[in-house]
Amino acid sequence: FPTRRSSDLGSGPESLSVSPDSNTLYVATAGVHQLPPDGVNDTITVVDLSTHTVTDVIEVGDHPWGVLAHPDGTTVYVANAHSETLSIIDTATNTVIETVLLGDGGEGDEPHVKGLALSPDGSRLYVTHMHSDMLTVLDTSTNKIGRASCRERV
């Protein structure tokens, strides 16, 4: 894979995920980090790994931080730190099909959503909230919070 400048992937690449078939790379690009958030350049850049070219750019919530492809290859999840949302992308159309609010939408002092992990069978998505010791569990079949968020320290 040839070395690329970050401008080829968008401004401020934060994280990435490879599709299960290893053909596509999804890169979370959040632009320049600033407060208050500006909502500019908040995208997922889609890269075809066989040709090393950008094939699409998908607008998501404010300051995408985490990105994770579902094991079945049909969905990509994006944790948007400043808007405290989860963008759910349909990989067949490269469009956001749903946005799930996980905090207060960035209006108060709620923690930013950051980390993403899937259960081994892909049925649950775990989302961490920075600065709060909080974890949200999403049922991936319904895209609804499957269990209450918790704030318990281990």
Side-chain angles (χ1 to χ4, degrees):
F1 196 87
T3 302
R4 303 274 184 182
R5 295 183 325 230
S6 63
S7 60
D8 295 325
L9 295 175
S11 176
E14 295 282 353
S15 61
L16 49 89
S17 183
V18 176
S19 63
D21 64 8
S22 299
N23 292 329
T24 307
L25 178 69
Y26 299 93
V27 182
T29 54
V32 177
H33 180 74
Q34 68 179 40
L35 291 173
D38 63 359
V40 176
N41 299 320
D42 297 320
T43 60
I44 296 298
T45 302
V46 183
V47 179
D48 181 323
L49 291 176
S50 65
T51 62
H52 307 147
T53 58
V54 172
T55 59
D56 213 340
V57 177
I58 307 163
E59 290 187 23
V60 293
D62 195 7
H63 204 95
W65 190 278
V67 60
L68 184 62
H70 191 278
D72 70 8
T74 63
T75 308
V76 169
Y77 300 96
V78 182
N80 304 301
H82 292 170
S83 58
E84 297 164 13
T85 59
L86 179 75
S87 296
I88 302 171
I89 297 171
D90 178 340
T91 60
T93 61
N94 283 339
T95 57
V96 175
I97 56 171
E98 190 167 351
T99 301
V100 179
L101 182 63
L102 298 176
D104 64 6
E107 297 299 320
D109 293 330
E110 280 290 318
H112 299 321
V113 295
K114 297 276 186 162
L116 299 173
L118 281 159
S119 60
D121 65 0
S123 67
R124 290 179 306 281
L125 177 73
Y126 300 93
V127 185
T128 60
H129 299 250
M130 186 173 154
H131 304 306
S132 73
D133 302 327
M134 214 170 127
L135 175 74
T136 297
V137 182
L138 188 87
D139 179 333
T140 60
S141 66
T142 63
N143 294 332
K144 305 294 179 207
I145 295 174
R147 286 192 253 172
S149 296
C150 59
R151 289 181 181 255
E152 295 180 22
R153 287 185 179 241
V154 177

